Amino acid sequence: MRWRGRRQSDNVVDRRNTRFGGQTRRRTMGGGAVVLVLLAGLFFGQDASDIAGALLSGAGQPASQPAPGPVSTRQQDEATQFVRVVLAETEDTWNNVFNKLGRQYQPPKLVLFNGMVRSACGTSSAQSGPFYCPGDYQVYIDLSFLQELRRMGAPGDFAFAYVIAHEVGHHVQNLVGVANQVRAQQARSSRAQANALSVRMELQADCLAGVWINHTESRNSILEAGDIEEGLAAAAAVGDDRIMQQAGRVAHREAFTHGSSAERVDWFKRGMRSGDIQSCNTFDA
Ligand SMILES: [Zn+2]
């Protein structure tokens, strides 16, 4: 990606060197906030950890992979700038899309953390992978996930951009009310039905990531040869079937929460080709 020299977002919050990424905030929290956090944990606990979460937890199995090696300071600085640029590009894209719909886009904050982080969705470890917390409208990323992507066979800057754009896609779903509707529906559903709804949410976030790159590319032409393939490889790497197989398990459709590799690639492509959020109606498909 030709990302250097582009605008960097101010919405990145660096909590990498704070214990639990926000210890001081917890101390000042009143009883009401604690109850809210608990409620949010109940509602979102399962869904909060994203992408690598299912992989590292082995969907119920203890993680067997060794922890990825440390990322050097120089790599971290570079990655931080990259995250700021990608986030800025999502702001520009979604501002435009929302404006055309006569609405105002409220960009999310993106929190960088190390190891563990507290959010309205509870305490999460880096092992859960990047996630979006609907309760506080924030995206959470530990940069060690870059290593994880490489290990999963999805290296490259655009693979990481896809992951960020996917999490911002969940923010868009939260803003437009899709996330709320789905949670309400899930509360009335069986486990299998709730999982099927979760898959549709995830595939829609993939499609929205595709819409994002379509708009970004037509504004700035930032893509280089091989970028699209990197994004598709990342979408395939985080498919439930691939993850379950790698964990030595039989891929059961009812246990899917994110969609198969083929579905994830397909929806990412749909959004990328059309650049139109109308093409992302995974709930009707
Ligand atoms: Zn997701």
Side-chain angles (χ1 to χ4, degrees), residues 222-237:
I222 58 167
L223 291 175
E224 295 174 307
D227 277 346
I228 297 293
E229 289 73 15
E230 282 173 18
L232 296 176

Side-chain angles (χ1 to χ4, degrees), residues 52-84:
L55 171 72
L56 289 164
S57 65
Q61 309 266 316
S64 55
Q65 291 85 6
V71 186
S72 75
T73 314
R74 195 192 59 77
Q75 284 171 321
Q76 291 238 1
D77 288 348
E78 173 116 338
T80 305
Q81 288 176 34
F82 179 77
V83 167
R84 285 184 189 277

Side-chain angles (χ1 to χ4, degrees), residues 47 49-51 130 166-167 170 173 201-202 205-206 258 264:
D47 299 320
S49 39
D50 209 348
I51 306 247
H166 171 99
E167 299 308 337
H170 284 313
Q173 291 174 316
M201 278 281 279
E202 293 301 328
D206 286 333
H258 287 71
R264 300 200 70 165

